[in-house]
Amino acid sequence: MTRLTPRVGVTGRFAIAAALGALTVGLLAMFAVDRYATAALRARVEASDRDLAERIAVGFDDQILRGIAALKREGQAEDLLTLDRARATPALAAALRAPSDYAVLTLHDRMGRAIASAAAGSLADPSRLPTRRDVVDRVRADGSAISVASGRVPTMEIAVAVESPPGTVVGVLIAEMSLEVVGNTIASFRVGRDGSASLLDQQGATLVHRDRGRVVRSHHVEITPSVASSAAFTRIDRQDGQEFIVSVAPTKVFPGAVALERSIADATGPVSGGRRNLTLIVLISVAATAVAISMAARRVLAPLKPLAAAVADLGSGDASARAPEPKRGDEIGLLSVQFNRMANALEERMTDLRGTNHRLADAQQRLDDAFTNAPIGMAMLSLDGRLQRVNQALLDLLGYAEDAVLGGTFEDVAHPSDVGRGGPPGGADPGDAGSVSGIEMRLLRADEATVWVVMNISIVSDAEGAPVQLFAQIQDITDRKAIEEELRRVDRAKSEFVANAAHELRTPLTAVSGFAELLNHRDTMSAEDVAAVCAGLQRQGTRARILVERMLDLLRIESGTIATTLQPLPVDAVVRSALALAPAPDDRTVEIALDPDLVVVADDVALEQVVSNLLTNAYRYGGRAIAIRGSQSNGLVRIMIEDDGPGVSPTTAAHLFEPFNRGRDVMGPGSGLGLAIVRKLMASMEGTIRYEAREPNGARFVLDLRGHRGQGPRG
Amino acid sequence: MGKVLVVDDESDLSLMVRMALRMAGHESLEATSGEEALEVLAGQAIDAMLLDLHLPRMDGWEVLQRVRADPACRELKIIVMSAHSSPGTKERAAHLGSDAYLTKPFALEELTNIVASALA
């Protein structure tokens, strides 16, 4: 998530920009003011110095005049020259060269006060020389040197050319520097300690420091004609570290020049002060500008904050987020309005989408439910046949838990004989057109039981039609298969029955048709023969009829068209009426041994038929003595019909109650259906019949039927 | 014309066949079981035997085999009778040495013809 609070906001940027702008403006102003101030100051200093130089020059001239006048008064300056400037210089020079000449030098400060004076002349008497309080030899940074006299130096200095005749001692003040202005130039000559002098060039002034005649340093000052009337500044750094401005101005009265020295500190003092003030002003204005700009910016940008908040809210899903609509119509206000319109449209769309999503989720849910709750097994498989999703019906069908099945294939649970019949359509190639339906195969359940299923597999494609999954429906058809099998069996049985029946009919019909045909020749037959034929016809016809009747009986019982009414019946009575239906032949005896109170729940007609059939069977296949016994226990009535005949072999006994099974070891014209009918009749009365061998020999048929409750449990 | 032994456990059928045979001029004897048939064959000279396959205890197949195994009965013509008409049964009968096959139900004429041709 990107930071939503800017590190340096618009306000900040504006403030910084404004501050930088103000700073730039301020610095430029300072620079300009500085230069202007310096220039103004310089001009002012120049002007004042010029003025001062003038005054000093005048004063100096004045003093020199007075000095000279004093000298004159004292009678020492007889041959002082007049102060005619035009001739002054050579005259002065000449006068100063005179061996007996002397000059009085006076140093004045700005105020015109004499600072020091010196006299030059023959110094036969050194004690007449004025003394200096202090003489400082200064070597200027530019190489010039000036001897200064006075403790108040360095406010002002005057350099004067002095020449002393050879041999004279020029007191302790040695003006090592001299400037002489000749006309518009300066000419100078020098007097050294050793009395040597030199003449400088006339184009400028070279300040030369000599020591014992050797030039130690020199500094040249250009003096132009215009300078003669103005002051020329030279900046000079003195040995004691102070800075000075030297200006040279010509004296008016006396040919010479006045050099003014002024401390830079003094001169620039006001400028520094001014500069400091200016710096302060600039800083304050920068700060004020920054503050003003940032306040303005903040005001302008204020509506952006709620707009940003609204955007953030909208972004995190709150469709109702809106920005406050501004009163004024600037760009930010417009942005807020546009944002709100966009938010409105978005909200609408979101509501639509939500609705669609709900419907989709709904549909998906219903589909899922349909899948999960479907009554037949369903599965989603990958294209290579792996189970990805199964429903409960399929799990129930297979008897596995879900996690045992997912990831596997149908082949894993297929019956070994049916492996390969299931699986994805067309093997692993999903490109095969379409689905497979109606595959019948067996699957093995978890409990090893087999289920028959019919499987339909279809291909699920995506929107572009590419196959993505397989959908399988699996239906348990075990019951249907069982029914089909049963139907087949019943069909077979029916066919067999029909075949057997037809087969059984062949013999009597052969006899009937044969006898009938024989009767065609009755004319050639004896009466006994004819009688025998007729009797045979009758017998076989009856036999055929009975056979058909019994078959129909069997069918009727099976199809349930014979109604049985179960009611309590006295066993004794039923047995006796059955005996009446099937009376014993002469060579047989039938013994009835049962409790006369024995009551059974049965159908009277059916039970009668059962007993009579069994009696007939006994007469046909059994022995001489036949017995009918009855008993009851635990609500069950048991009737037994037994004989002492040959009985039935075990192999025959196994199929005894099946239709048409007379067995190989019995003879006779029975229909072969008697016992089958008996079994069906017993079943229709909810009873059972079974055969058991009688010891030592004979057959016993055991009938079990429901007893009547009224007799009590012990019976 | 010939002495014919009728072997069938169904007495009415046996009666009918015997009467038909008599009418056709043959002498007929009857046996109701395989054992009885063998007894008769052992005791008399029989020209032809009508043998029902479906007999109690010893069935017709066994009788057929025994008779054919007996060198004394080499000349005996055996006509097998049966309700089965499947080719398998007929083939088996022929394979075991029967001379003719009669499928029930048959017309009397068919019976007499077969017997006549067998005795011829």
Side-chain angles (χ1 to χ4, degrees):
Chain A
M1 192 76 173
T2 54
R3 282 167 59 100
L4 291 180
T5 22
R7 228 178 252 119
V8 179
V10 171
T11 309
R13 286 184 210 276
F14 273 169
I16 290 171
L20 285 175
L23 192 66
T24 309
V25 167
L27 286 173
L28 285 172
M30 277 172 64
F31 181 68
V33 165
D34 197 44
R35 282 195 69 103
Y36 170 75
T38 310
L41 191 63
R42 180 184 289 226
R44 202 159 54 82
V45 169
E46 276 181 8
S48 86
D49 279 359
R50 237 192 326 257
D51 179 57
L52 193 58
E54 287 277 327
R55 283 193 288 119
I56 289 171
V58 168
F60 176 70
D61 289 345
D62 188 45
Q63 291 298 319
I64 290 294
L65 281 173
R66 263 187 278 177
I68 291 172
L71 285 173
K72 273 186 181 171
R73 275 196 304 277
E74 292 167 11
Q76 294 175 5
E78 292 98 359
D79 27 350
L80 268 180
L81 299 169
T82 63
L83 297 169
D84 180 1
R85 185 173 270 214
R87 295 176 305 173
T89 307
L92 180 59
L96 289 174
R97 268 188 230 108
S100 63
D101 284 346
Y102 49 82
V104 175
L105 307 169
T106 311
L107 293 174
H108 295 268
D109 66 10
R110 220 172 282 174
M111 313 306 281
R113 289 175 295 214
I115 300 167
S117 65
S122 99
L123 288 171
D125 184 8
S127 64
R128 286 172 71 187
L129 279 173
T131 55
R132 295 260 167 259
R133 263 200 299 241
D134 48 326
V135 174
V136 178
D137 256 327
R138 286 171 303 122
V139 175
R140 294 192 179 159
D142 59 3
S144 60
I146 292 184
S147 294
V148 181
S150 160
R152 277 214 247 155
V153 160
T155 53
M156 193 176 74
E157 239 182 64
I158 297 176
V160 178
V162 174
E163 189 192 60
S164 60
T168 56
V169 175
V170 184
V172 295
L173 170 63
I174 305 297
E176 294 180 30
M177 189 175 72
S178 63
L179 297 168
E180 186 186 276
V181 177
V182 177
N184 286 337
T185 64
I186 295 174
S188 66
F189 56 92
R190 184 154 282 111
V191 176
R193 281 212 176 102
D194 61 354
S196 61
S198 62
L199 185 67
L200 301 173
D201 65 287
Q202 293 185 334
Q203 286 306 313
T206 303
L207 308 174
V208 177
H209 178 101
R210 282 181 195 274
D211 186 26
R212 283 177 282 272
R214 189 168 55 84
V215 174
V216 175
R217 266 180 226 93
S218 71
H219 173 72
H220 187 79
V221 173
E222 284 295 319
I223 306 291
T224 61
S226 60
V227 170
S229 58
S230 68
F233 284 93
T234 305
R235 183 160 148 199
I236 289 169
D237 297 313
R238 297 210 301 206
Q239 200 173 33
D240 61 2
Q242 295 189 52
E243 298 166 358
F244 283 87
I245 300 172
V246 176
S247 60
V248 178
T251 63
K252 284 190 163 53
V253 175
F254 189 69
V258 175
L260 288 177
E261 214 175 66
R262 176 195 306 284
S263 139
I264 285 179
D266 285 350
T268 61
V271 175
S272 301
R275 206 180 277 135
R276 229 178 299 120
N277 289 342
L278 193 60
T279 308
L280 205 60
I281 290 170
V282 165
L283 284 173
I284 289 173
S285 63
V286 163
T289 311
V291 166
I293 293 285
S294 65
M295 279 176 63
R298 197 170 293 138
R299 277 211 54 169
V300 167
L301 299 173
L304 270 183
K305 214 172 176 182
L307 180 61
V311 169
D313 284 345
L314 188 67
S316 34
D318 178 4
S320 62
R322 296 290 182 276
E325 307 251 319
K327 301 169 203 74
R328 65 172 187 279
D330 65 353
E331 288 85 343
I332 294 181
L334 196 62
L335 187 63
S336 297
V337 169
Q338 298 286 30
F339 170 78
N340 285 346
R341 281 203 206 130
M342 178 196 78
N344 285 339
L346 254 172
E347 190 171 21
E348 237 179 84
R349 232 161 270 152
M350 270 174 75
T351 310
D352 282 347
L353 256 174
R354 217 174 283 129
T356 306
N357 276 354
H358 275 142
R359 283 193 294 279
L360 255 174
D362 227 16
Q364 181 66 41
Q365 185 60 44
R366 271 180 267 144
L367 206 62
D368 274 350
D369 284 346
F371 183 87
T372 309
N373 301 328
I376 68 172
M378 289 186 181
M380 303 296 305
L381 306 105
S382 64
L383 289 174
D384 61 350
R386 306 226 149 252
L387 289 162
Q388 293 171 328
R389 196 180 157 196
V390 293
N391 72 348
Q392 190 59 42
L394 183 59
L395 293 176
D396 290 343
L397 188 150
L398 292 173
Y400 283 103
E402 190 173 25
D403 44 8
V405 150
L406 291 180
T409 67
F410 280 117
E411 300 221 339
D412 297 338
V413 292
H415 192 281
S417 317
D418 293 340
V419 166
R421 290 183 63 197
D429 177 9
D432 271 25
S435 33
V436 183
S437 64
I439 303 173
E440 292 190 1
M441 61 185 290
R442 279 164 294 177
L443 300 178
L444 290 179
R445 287 173 49 90
D447 59 7
E448 302 295 340
T450 304
V451 288
W452 270 99
V453 299
V454 62
M455 198 179 300
N456 295 316
I457 301 178
S458 55
I459 295 179
V460 177
S461 304
D462 62 11
E464 283 86 43
V468 287
Q469 257 187 331
L470 303 171
F471 173 60
Q473 295 183 59
I474 303 99
Q475 197 165 359
D476 186 342
I477 55 170
T478 310
D479 289 346
R480 194 187 86 195
K481 280 287 182 189
I483 289 172
E484 278 173 14
E485 185 55 42
E486 178 69 12
L487 271 174
R488 273 193 291 272
R489 196 193 59 75
V490 166
D491 199 50
R492 269 197 305 274
K494 281 238 166 81
S495 302
E496 219 176 287
F497 183 90
V498 168
N500 281 340
H503 184 76
E504 286 290 319
L505 279 170
R506 276 185 165 156
T507 302
L509 289 178
T510 305
V512 163
S513 75
F515 281 135
E517 211 171 323
L518 280 171
L519 280 179
N520 283 336
H521 304 276
R522 63 187 177 281
D523 299 338
T524 62
M525 284 162 59
S526 68
E528 296 92 1
D529 282 347
V530 169
V533 165
C534 290
L537 253 177
Q538 209 173 343
R539 271 197 303 276
Q540 291 302 313
T542 306
R543 181 175 162 189
R545 181 178 53 79
I546 290 177
L547 186 63
V548 170
E549 270 178 17
R550 293 224 162 155
M551 284 198 297
L552 289 175
D553 272 351
L554 203 58
L555 285 171
R556 268 203 299 274
I557 294 170
E558 262 200 59
S559 68
T561 48
I562 290 186
T564 47
T565 321
L566 295 180
Q567 56 188 316
L569 300 167
V571 177
D572 189 79
V574 173
V575 164
R576 287 188 195 286
S577 49
L579 197 50
L581 276 178
D586 297 331
D587 58 346
R588 308 296 174 95
T589 57
V590 178
E591 180 203 344
I592 300 177
L594 45 86
D595 182 351
D597 297 329
L598 192 61
V599 174
V600 74
V601 175
D603 179 277
D604 51 354
V605 171
L607 188 54
E608 230 175 67
Q609 190 162 354
V610 165
V611 175
S612 64
N613 270 17
L614 287 171
L615 282 171
T616 311
N617 208 43
Y619 301 152
R620 196 170 290 140
Y621 302 109
R624 210 172 277 278
I626 296 156
I628 303 177
R629 308 186 198 283
S631 65
Q632 178 181 4
S633 74
N634 291 335
L636 201 73
V637 168
R638 182 161 288 181
I639 302 170
M640 292 183 288
I641 295 128
E642 56 188 40
D643 65 76
D644 61 357
V648 172
S649 73
T651 42
T652 310
H655 302 281
L656 201 54
F657 297 95
E658 289 170 25
F660 302 124
N661 203 318
R662 270 175 293 164
R664 289 176 58 244
D665 53 349
V666 296
M667 308 190 302
S671 64
L673 292 175
L675 289 177
I677 290 176
V678 161
R679 185 165 71 167
K680 290 271 183 251
L681 285 171
M682 285 303 294
S684 75
M685 294 187 288
E686 296 170 17
T688 58
I689 177 170
R690 64 181 161 83
Y691 166 84
E692 60 187 33
R694 180 177 166 277
E695 294 302 320
N697 63 295
R700 181 188 298 125
F701 289 88
V702 180
L703 308 170
D704 285 331
L705 285 161
R706 226 177 346 130
H708 184 49
R709 268 173 301 158
Q711 277 177 305
R714 299 246 183 76
Chain B
M1 288 182 283
K3 213 184 235 179
V4 181
L5 173 63
V6 178
V7 187
D8 198 324
D9 65 327
E10 294 272 355
S11 53
D12 280 335
L13 205 71
S14 183
L15 175 65
M16 184 202 79
V17 167
R18 287 187 64 202
M19 287 184 81
L21 285 171
R22 193 144 49 94
M23 213 171 280
H26 305 289
E27 193 188 329
S28 69
L29 298 139
E30 83 170 332
T32 56
S33 72
E35 298 90 346
E36 203 182 327
L38 291 172
E39 264 177 47
V40 171
L41 283 173
Q44 298 184 48
I46 305 293
D47 299 312
M49 178 169 71
L50 280 161
L51 176 61
D52 182 35
L53 285 176
H54 179 69
L55 295 169
R57 294 185 292 276
M58 190 192 302
D59 71 2
W61 294 114
E62 201 182 330
V63 172
L64 180 57
Q65 281 172 303
R66 286 203 188 191
V67 167
R68 277 296 175 236
D70 185 357
C73 302
R74 234 188 349 221
E75 297 295 324
L76 177 67
K77 301 284 185 258
I78 303 178
I79 301 158
V80 165
M81 288 190 298
S82 179
H84 294 289
S85 58
S86 65
T89 316
K90 287 187 181 172
E91 265 175 34
R92 191 177 170 209
H95 180 71
L96 288 171
S98 68
D99 296 293
Y101 195 97
L102 199 56
T103 311
K104 294 187 217 178
F106 48 79
L108 285 186
E109 202 181 332
E110 203 184 333
L111 168 70
T112 48
N113 285 344
I114 281 189
V115 169
S117 61
L119 287 176

